[in-house]
Amino acid sequence: MVAARVASSVVRRQVRYVTPVPVGTARGLVADVYAQAEREQKLVVPPVLLHSPAPPVLAAYWMLLREPLVAGRTVDRRTKEAVAAGVSVANTCPYCVDMHSISLYDLATEDDAEAVADDRIVDLRDPAVRAVAGWARQAHATAPTAPFPAAHAPELVGVVVAFHYLARVVNVFLPDHLLPAGLTGAARRRFKRAVGRLLRPTLRAAPRPGRSLALLPAATLPDDAGWAAADPVIAGAVARAYRAFDRAGEEAVPAPVRALLRERLDRWDGSSPGPGRSWYDDACAGLPAPDRAAGRLALLTAFASYRVDDEVVAAFRRSAPTDRALVQAVAWAAYAAAREVGRRCLRPAAR
């Protein structure tokens, strides 16, 4: 326990722009989520910590991740980690790619792990894992026909949605890479191999489904999240999380910005907006002047989260200075994009 607290203190310093709630002083909902994360991941990891200034958003993130990915169910963890890594590649999130390729070092093979990390999914040896990972890699853009039975949709679409959310948030609040700078070639593989062995107990565990549901009150599953309906626990987690994210947006993101982002997501073809800033400056030009900083933050988080920088964050904080507001705004924009990806997975034939 002492070692975990020391490690948590070290990883807390990875978080930028906000000050996480320390593990030792957490109370209420934050303490409840930390306890579950520490029990099941052996450490309160940076993606958990960064959400802590906004407790309901923290709980929403945790249940959106835990129930489809971490809890024991039908789909094997190897396949789900390949999906998580593929989505992380799609979102240009090197931190997440490092984390989930490390998981594959233990659950699959080193060559498979590096193939996913290098965006070479076609080189995966197992044809079933290759098909599912390839589907996940493109789900935001082409919504290909799902290469798995309908009964697996709550888990696999759930992982896709969770990591389209998480990669965007991680790109804003965490460093570019999880691994130490300067590691290349064989040294990088040795490091991943060692960390994969340390993670083995958590990767091969199968925690009881549904433990996170008590964190937030029950809610109704939206129609566009029908992909979760076949699993009552995942459906309950998604419904609760979606409502919490919506409320965070209502609190921290001006209504004109929310309307703008939803309109842009409706027209999104899954492609990157490209370099330069004219696309988001032009999009925000019609917003009231006080809302434009929030508009830039929301659009970048949704469409190019790896480009959120000090200037974008500082501009937002001039009108919304609290850590809570920043976490809520980024989380809402990331959720809005992830929710749209989930909707596309639900109706691939229509696209």
Side-chain angles (χ1 to χ4, degrees):
M1 182 65 70
V2 173
R5 294 293 171 87
V6 171
S8 182
S9 177
V10 172
V11 299
R12 191 169 70 247
R13 293 194 288 273
Q14 291 186 1
V15 179
R16 58 192 179 194
Y17 301 133
V18 298
T19 302
V21 176
V23 172
T25 63
R27 299 291 182 269
L29 185 55
V30 175
D32 293 341
V33 177
Y34 280 7
Q36 288 194 16
E38 194 166 29
R39 182 185 306 120
E40 296 177 3
Q41 299 182 321
K42 308 308 178 188
L43 181 68
V44 182
V45 294
V48 175
L49 289 166
L50 70 85
H51 287 87
S52 61
V57 171
L58 167 64
Y61 148 71
W62 173 245
M63 61 177 55
L64 196 68
L65 176 89
R66 180 195 186 272
E67 296 307 332
L69 177 72
V70 178
R73 282 194 169 81
T74 303
V75 181
D76 64 276
R77 184 69 180 266
R78 176 185 61 160
T79 299
K80 292 192 280 191
E81 290 289 339
V83 166
V87 172
S88 301
V89 169
N91 284 288
T92 318
C93 181
Y95 188 102
C96 297
V97 172
D98 284 347
M99 185 71 259
H100 296 284
S101 62
I102 284 172
S103 298
L104 288 170
Y105 262 65
D106 183 68
L107 296 169
T109 67
E110 292 185 22
D111 288 344
D112 278 355
E114 292 302 320
V116 176
D118 292 341
D119 204 11
R120 294 182 289 104
I121 289 174
V122 294
D123 292 338
L124 290 174
R125 295 180 185 179
D126 187 309
V129 176
R130 183 170 64 244
V132 174
W135 162 83
R137 172 68 177 82
Q138 298 297 327
H140 65 291
T142 61
T145 301
F148 49 81
H152 293 177
E155 291 174 78
L156 293 174
V157 178
V159 173
V160 167
V161 170
F163 280 88
H164 269 283
Y165 168 79
L166 183 58
R168 287 167 166 82
V169 174
V170 164
N171 273 339
V172 174
F173 289 110
L174 294 181
D176 289 342
H177 293 277
L178 172 67
L179 302 185
L183 281 182
T184 59
R188 185 178 179 85
R189 285 199 173 210
R190 284 195 299 272
F191 190 90
K192 284 188 171 184
R193 196 180 306 135
V195 176
R197 285 195 296 267
L198 290 174
L199 294 176
R200 180 173 296 171
T202 64
L203 294 172
R204 296 176 182 270
R208 175 175 59 82
R211 185 173 289 149
S212 71
L213 296 190
L215 296 169
L216 292 174
T220 301
L221 185 71
D223 290 342
D224 65 350
W227 51 264
D231 185 312
V233 171
I234 293 178
V238 170
R240 289 164 166 83
Y242 277 19
R243 185 170 67 174
F245 287 129
D246 279 333
R247 288 182 172 177
E250 290 165 4
E251 182 177 330
V253 182
V257 174
R258 301 200 305 274
L260 171 64
L261 181 55
R262 290 190 179 109
E263 185 269 332
R264 300 282 294 202
L265 285 168
D266 283 343
R267 297 188 287 112
W268 182 42
D269 64 2
S271 63
S272 170
R277 56 186 295 170
S278 61
W279 65 272
Y280 62 85
D281 282 340
D282 291 346
C284 292
L287 292 171
D291 296 344
R292 289 172 190 165
R296 285 190 289 272
L297 177 64
L299 287 170
L300 281 169
T301 298
F303 297 115
S305 55
Y306 50 89
R307 295 182 57 194
V308 174
D309 58 17
D310 296 354
E311 179 184 352
V312 172
V313 171
F316 174 81
R317 299 200 78 151
R318 280 194 282 272
S319 59
T322 67
D323 285 359
R324 178 185 176 93
L326 179 60
V327 170
Q328 287 175 316
V330 170
W332 178 81
Y335 145 77
R339 180 171 177 168
E340 171 61 18
V341 174
R343 185 189 70 81
R344 296 178 184 198
C345 291
L346 180 64
R347 298 186 296 176
R351 300 190 65 83

